[in-house]
Amino acid sequence: FLFSIDSGIVEEFSVDEIIGGVASVGQNEFVLQLIDGQLLLFSINPQISLVKSLESFPEFCESFIVKSSSVFGLKHIKKKLFMNGKELATEVTSFALTHDNEHLLYTTIGELKFLDGQQQIVDTRRVERGSRIVCLIKDKSQVIFQLPRGNLETISPRILSLKIVKKFLERSEYREAFDMLRKERINLNLIVDGELKKF
């Protein structure tokens, strides 16, 4: 494993197995996934050093992300989604985490599902068959999908819109809350009902 800045090799580190992927964890840490599914947390402050081994995936996952204390991985061939080494869902085609790490989104053949922190499905939405998540837009309620024919589509799931409206109301930003509720065609009574005394 070579660590480089601006095309110059800064440091070299060896591991015994084949490296299958790498994911950043903030500015000073990263996770290596070995070809057997093993996960290794490294620090680069000031030199590269192994911090600890994380709970491994049962098998190599082609896609994985690390957020706070959780590691999520997707085995594309078998369509299995793992969290911290345990199988979380099957028939999964893509996944993403919201930027506040409160919800996990994943697609199956024709549905978009939302899981909360307790891994409970809190919302489901139909999407075009074969759609895959490309990314989530930060500070907006938009999810971008790639459709099977290649074009991109943006949707605004209500559950994400309501999270943003709640933040607006907590900061007494009523104009912004009003604009989003009107744009998303959500009942405007939420502005008053959210925190009646404060309003």
Side-chain angles (χ1 to χ4, degrees), residues 91-94 105-109 111-112 131-133 145:
E91 299 303 318
V92 177
T93 56
S94 64
L105 289 70
Y106 70 87
T107 55
T108 59
I109 296 298
E111 289 185 324
L112 171 65
S131 298
R132 292 174 183 266
I133 299 170
F145 290 94

Side-chain angles (χ1 to χ4, degrees), residues 5-6 31 38-39 44 50 55 58 68 85 95 106-107 113 118 138-139 168-169:
I5 298 175
D6 296 330
V31 173
Q38 186 179 356
L39 298 167
I44 52 174
L50 177 63
E55 193 163 355
S68 60
F95 74 104
Y106 70 87
T107 55
K113 299 189 178 187
Q118 286 74 44
K138 189 174 183 180
D139 298 325
F168 285 146
L169 295 177

Side-chain angles (χ1 to χ4, degrees), residues 110-114 123-127 155-158:
E111 289 185 324
L112 171 65
K113 299 189 178 187
F114 297 82
D123 196 16
T124 302
R125 178 177 174 152
R126 297 285 302 167
V127 292
I155 66 169
S156 296
R158 184 152 294 189

Side-chain angles (χ1 to χ4, degrees), residues 42-199:
F42 286 86
S43 171
I44 52 174
N45 188 15
Q47 296 179 326
I48 296 179
S49 60
L50 177 63
V51 177
K52 62 179 178 178
S53 294
L54 303 177
E55 193 163 355
S56 301
F57 294 133
E59 50 194 322
F60 176 73
C61 292
E62 293 86 353
S63 302
F64 77 104
I65 54 176
V66 182
K67 292 288 184 180
S68 60
S69 59
S70 298
V71 184
F72 299 88
L74 177 60
K75 180 70 177 174
H76 289 279
I77 298 171
K78 297 182 180 178
K79 294 183 169 51
K80 290 183 178 180
L81 180 64
F82 299 98
M83 174 185 171
N84 295 338
K86 296 182 176 68
E87 188 176 306
L88 191 62
T90 57
E91 299 303 318
V92 177
T93 56
S94 64
F95 74 104
L97 280 168
T98 55
H99 295 282
D100 57 10
N101 300 329
E102 286 186 11
H103 289 89
L104 172 71
L105 289 70
Y106 70 87
T107 55
T108 59
I109 296 298
E111 289 185 324
L112 171 65
K113 299 189 178 187
F114 297 82
L115 271 67
D116 62 11
Q118 286 74 44
Q119 288 79 56
Q120 301 294 319
I121 295 176
V122 293
D123 196 16
T124 302
R125 178 177 174 152
R126 297 285 302 167
V127 292
E128 185 172 330
R129 186 178 178 86
S131 298
R132 292 174 183 266
I133 299 170
V134 175
C135 68
L136 281 68
I137 306 299
K138 189 174 183 180
D139 298 325
K140 292 192 175 181
S141 62
Q142 297 175 332
V143 181
I144 299 176
F145 290 94
Q146 182 174 14
L147 305 184
R149 55 188 176 275
N151 56 321
L152 300 176
E153 181 179 281
T154 303
I155 66 169
S156 296
R158 184 152 294 189
I159 190 169
L160 299 182
S161 299
L162 291 174
K163 284 174 60 175
I164 294 173
V165 168
K166 181 181 177 185
K167 290 178 182 176
F168 285 146
L169 295 177
E170 288 171 351
R171 298 191 298 255
S172 299
E173 296 174 354
Y174 296 107
R175 179 186 297 244
E176 290 80 359
F178 175 83
D179 286 342
M180 176 162 272
L181 290 170
R182 185 181 59 172
K183 181 181 176 184
E184 303 291 339
R185 298 181 181 179
I186 300 172
N187 193 329
L188 293 172
N189 287 341
L190 285 176
I191 295 176
V192 178
D193 296 340
E195 291 188 45
L196 181 58
K197 290 182 180 178
K198 187 176 179 182
F199 181 79

